[in-house]
Amino acid sequence: MSSLRGEVAIVGAADTEVGKVPQFGATVLCVEAARRALADAGITKDQIDGLVTCNSMAEPYMYHAEAIAEYLQIFPRYCISVGAGGGTTFSILHHAASAIATGVCDTVLISMADSLRTGLSREQAMTLQSSTGHPQFEIPYGASVPAYYALIARAHMNAYGTTPEQLAAVAVSARQYAALNDNAQMGEIITVDDVLDSRMIADPLHLLDCSLVSDGGAAVILTSADRAGDFPHDPVYVLGAGEGHGHEHISQAQSLTTSAAVESGRRAFEMAGLGPGDVDVAEIYDCFTPVVLIELEDLGFCNKGEAGAFVEAGETSLQGSLPMNTHGGLLSHCHPGNPGSMFALTEAATQLRHSAGDRQVKNAEVALVHAQGGIMSSHATLILGRERQG
Amino acid sequence: MTDAPVKHFPRPTPETEAYWQGCRKHQLLLQRCQQCSEFQFYPRIVCTKCASQDLEWVNASGQGKIKTFTVVRRPVSEAYAADIPYVVALIQLDEGPTMMSNIVQCDPEALRIGDLVQVLFEDWSEEISIPKFRPL
């Protein structure tokens, strides 16, 4: 075996309630997501021999995955908590897949959750998240996370003529899907004008250009492709995985308008033996509207500078050429911080299982999921498919 | 009685000490590599281009241009609320490197990418002064 392509499959996937979930703290959300994923896979916890989590901001532990293993009373032979910001979720997936493919473990549970909405005050959540900035050379200047991304948005607008209306179209698209999703935190349809009329947070980003702040957890279960047929649902095979890392702090970025998603996407497509034209549904990180435009360009779905027009033309809707963020995304479904893109993963699994109901992309065969962490800093792309051979 | 919230002070580390001492004296210092002549920011123990450790401190001109900026309308924390609206920017210094700072003494609405700026220093304590920029 010289590639991970087709070696592992997702055989369990589940979300908790999301949004305002005061009845469950972050630890319980992580355990609950795990519990539901186990039920979805039709197995008991004793069949899990690998565990991946990420630390929680609301209820941190020094060694989070070990704490969750203890809570669940499992005794894994592969156990790690990951930190890569929003890209955390997928950056670990190929590590876990490699562990399975090399026989280090058989069945990995990846469960991530946090309680940013009810587990922390607004100020605590903002301060903790903005600590992604450099402590000596960025944080003193008072940038919030929206402000860091606003720097990127303005640069893209200046370079390519991207308009506030085009940024808003990203949020409108996400909300259209959320309106079809009973589980989404926000369900009311919004217009471009609604986005532009919403409170300005950091020019040019309005409130509705920014992701939600949520409670929630999601989990998946991975096992070898050979065993995937033993589970109740259609397997979702991992066909490609790639990472790209350009910087950590935005003031050190080589480019404000092109990111290491170029590399992560290329690497994932190369492993999968596929290209952007093969993708039926894309779940790409939407912490802020400009991020989506840059990712669409960098992943190869449209030319540099043209993503604004692409989204404005409706190409990311269910009727468009690239249905995107079909659960509602971080903008409208939920965003509990580091675990945020886990919901993109469970949604991709749902789409490829053809069980997305009103949100179903017809004949979805191949999904691309992409996450980024820091401030467009680190990127991870996965290509998933219904067929082991892709 | 609760203390007023305090802004986030930078805490110098051994290899950045000289930079912050420069700031305290209202001088922007940049490292320049003696091997390849490249300027770099933030201060490091190695040259980011050629990995040499032969780095010297140079008085920077303090001039640069706005690479990108945002006008923050919602403060990151209570300590910054009094400054609202404030401008966070990336400045490309004339010597080449980019740094983050605030643009002050300006009309935020009138700023544009490419505007020329000049450094000034805000004294936050006996030990720490923070470089900020104003439009030229």
Side-chain angles (χ1 to χ4, degrees):
Chain A
M1 179 216 28
S2 58
S3 159
L4 280 178
R5 181 176 188 269
E7 290 298 315
V8 305
I10 296 169
V11 294
D15 297 352
T16 66
E17 289 87 353
V18 303
K20 275 169 80 166
V21 193
Q23 70 273 25
F24 292 155
T27 303
V28 168
L29 284 168
C30 188
V31 170
E32 181 59 17
R35 221 185 48 74
R36 294 184 188 191
L38 288 167
D40 184 72
I43 60 172
T44 63
K45 63 174 185 169
D46 308 301
Q47 289 155 277
I48 297 295
D49 60 351
L51 177 67
V52 177
T53 73
C54 70
N55 208 357
S56 155
M57 292 188 188
E59 288 179 16
Y61 295 93
M62 190 78 110
Y63 306 110
H64 190 274
E66 284 76 359
I68 298 298
E70 169 193 273
Y71 192 113
L72 288 168
Q73 287 293 288
I74 62 174
F75 310 97
R77 47 184 176 150
Y78 170 78
C79 184
I80 193 157
S81 48
V82 196
T88 288
T89 46
F90 307 155
S91 66
I92 194 61
L93 209 121
H94 74 82
H95 295 255
S98 297
I100 292 168
T102 56
V104 164
C105 60
D106 292 330
T107 309
V108 179
L109 167 65
I110 303 178
S111 185
M112 301 188 183
D114 215 336
S115 187
L116 297 190
R117 181 71 181 82
T118 63
L120 293 169
S121 72
R122 197 92 192 181
E123 168 130 352
Q124 281 174 323
M126 283 190 77
T127 302
L128 267 171
Q129 291 190 292
S130 69
S131 64
T132 190
H134 194 292
Q136 289 187 57
F137 303 110
E138 291 185 338
I139 298 181
Y141 300 106
S144 55
V145 170
Y148 289 126
Y149 282 98
L151 296 173
I152 289 170
R154 183 172 297 281
H156 200 271
M157 294 164 84
N158 190 65
Y160 304 112
T162 298
T163 65
E165 289 77 8
Q166 289 170 336
L167 294 177
V170 174
V172 168
S173 176
R175 186 63 66 90
Q176 283 170 346
Y177 287 104
L180 300 171
N181 187 351
D182 288 337
N183 300 318
Q185 184 175 342
M186 308 297 277
E188 216 179 277
I189 293 283
I190 55 174
T191 63
V192 166
D193 283 339
D194 289 332
V195 179
L196 299 180
D197 289 340
S198 66
R199 180 181 167 179
M200 188 68 86
I201 304 295
D203 255 293
L205 299 181
H206 305 83
L207 180 67
L208 292 178
D209 284 302
C210 305
S211 60
L212 302 169
V213 175
S214 319
D215 307 330
V220 297
I221 295 175
L222 283 182
T223 195
S224 70
D226 289 340
R227 296 181 52 221
D230 300 341
F231 293 79
H233 295 288
D234 294 341
V236 172
Y237 296 97
V238 179
L239 301 178
E243 293 181 26
H245 303 272
H247 58 272
E248 170 55 15
H249 305 107
I250 191 60
S251 56
Q252 295 278 301
Q254 307 275 318
S255 167
L256 295 170
T257 52
T258 297
S259 74
V262 170
E263 285 80 19
S264 70
R266 188 180 65 227
R267 289 163 182 153
F269 280 123
E270 199 175 295
M271 186 188 289
L274 296 170
D278 298 307
V279 175
D280 300 310
V281 56
E283 316 293 359
I284 69 177
Y285 206 78
D286 58 338
C287 52
F288 297 91
T289 52
V291 167
V292 174
L293 300 187
I294 292 176
E295 288 166 343
L296 282 169
E297 294 163 0
D298 291 351
L299 292 168
F301 294 114
C302 45
N303 293 328
K304 179 49 73 179
E306 295 179 5
F310 183 81
V311 178
E312 200 169 40
E315 297 297 350
T316 59
S317 72
L318 261 182
Q319 299 74 31
S321 59
L322 186 73
M324 182 186 79
N325 296 348
T326 54
H327 53 316
L330 304 170
L331 288 166
S332 284
H333 175 261
C334 79
H335 191 7
N338 287 334
S341 47
M342 282 298 289
F343 301 91
L345 192 54
T346 56
E347 175 68 7
T350 300
Q351 286 284 348
L352 292 181
R353 290 173 177 182
H354 294 174
S355 58
D358 292 338
R359 311 190 306 277
Q360 184 63 51
V361 174
K362 282 192 174 49
N363 303 319
E365 294 287 322
V366 173
L368 176 145
V369 293
H370 181 85
Q372 61 98 51
I375 311 294
M376 289 302 281
S377 311
S378 62
H379 296 260
T381 309
L382 301 175
I383 314 288
L384 307 171
R386 281 178 64 80
E387 300 296 324
R388 188 169 175 177
Q389 295 311 309
Chain B
M1 186 176 90
T2 48
D3 293 322
V6 171
K7 287 184 177 176
H8 179 104
F9 273 60
R11 284 161 60 180
T13 45
E15 81 285 8
T16 68
E17 195 66 59
Y19 169 81
W20 290 112
Q21 282 172 7
C23 288
R24 190 69 193 90
K25 298 190 185 108
H26 292 195
Q27 173 62 58
L28 189 67
L29 293 175
L30 283 179
Q31 284 175 319
R32 183 169 57 198
C33 178
Q34 297 284 71
Q35 288 301 309
C36 73
S37 303
E38 195 83 349
F39 286 92
Q40 66 180 23
F41 188 80
Y42 45 78
R44 294 166 163 85
I45 62 165
V46 287
C47 173
T48 56
K49 190 157 181 212
C50 74
S52 167
Q53 293 205 285
D54 201 358
L55 298 158
E56 62 163 1
W57 293 102
V58 172
N59 289 346
S61 67
Q63 301 199 335
K65 60 180 195 244
I66 297 178
K67 197 164 160 180
T68 186
F69 70 99
T70 181
V71 184
V72 179
R73 311 261 177 205
R74 185 169 179 172
V76 65
S77 67
E78 195 52 39
Y80 292 81
D83 297 342
I84 287 290
Y86 55 89
V87 178
V88 173
L90 295 184
I91 313 291
Q92 178 146 33
L93 300 169
D94 282 0
E95 290 84 359
T98 294
M99 64 183 288
M100 181 175 287
S101 190
N102 299 123
I103 316 265
V104 296
Q105 298 171 19
C106 68
D107 171 11
E109 312 300 326
L111 293 175
R112 296 289 179 271
I113 289 178
D115 283 355
L116 302 181
V117 292
Q118 169 74 46
V119 78
L120 56 93
F121 292 87
E122 244 177 48
D123 298 331
W124 280 18
S125 72
E126 289 290 312
E127 291 82 32
I128 294 292
S129 296
I130 301 289
K132 301 206 172 182
F133 290 79
R134 63 174 174 79
L136 276 174

